[in-house]
Amino acid sequence: MTLKIVLGSTSETKREAVEDALRKAGLKAEIICVDAASGVNPQPIGKEESLKGALNRALAARAHDPTAYALGIESGLIELVDEGHEPRWYDRAVIVMIAPDGTTCDAISEHVRVPSDFVNESRECGFQVTVGQLIAERHGCNHYDPHSFLTGGERSRQTLITEVLALVFLAELPRPGKHVVHIGSVKRFLPIREVAPGIKVALFNLLGDWELA
């Protein structure tokens, strides 16, 4: 059976991140992109709003094809306050994936620091204008990828999304020749072996797996 992923976005950056992550995880899948509304501000603030946006996108992707893995990606800003310092703002992506059986997982990418004046300017617009758009207006960079500009070309938005997606895919997506089992909150991929002509079984081994035991 072909592995299918429905991405709740038509963004080329997000699609390419999914493709790159699959390659990093050593997996192949059919990728379908659907236009999905986040249901949150264009510039999400805080983990809760970003998570809500990613979940809304994943739910729209699941509605398109319940037999596929539904994927939602939403970037947003988080405020961190260091002791004795001014608040600092960071941009990161939140990932939500819903499996065909309905189980859901989420993950957060690495952060890129964003100058506070751009966040304040976005706030004045009711967060209807993104920080990326404001940075692009002032510096002429790609409004969808201010990360490359802010890091001097070291980290792009696509790179950050790819890295966290690869980890999610390695942990959650089935692999060829493996059988997936769920025991409580634990998931394991069991190798399938032919034990007699025409008879194959999944090998279940508790030895050394303290979490599963």
Side-chain angles (χ1 to χ4, degrees), residues 60 101 140 151:
D101 63 5
T151 62

Side-chain angles (χ1 to χ4, degrees), residues 78-89:
I78 184 172
E79 183 182 30
L80 301 177
V81 182
D82 296 331
E83 187 175 351
H85 293 84
E86 292 293 323
R88 297 180 178 181
W89 289 92

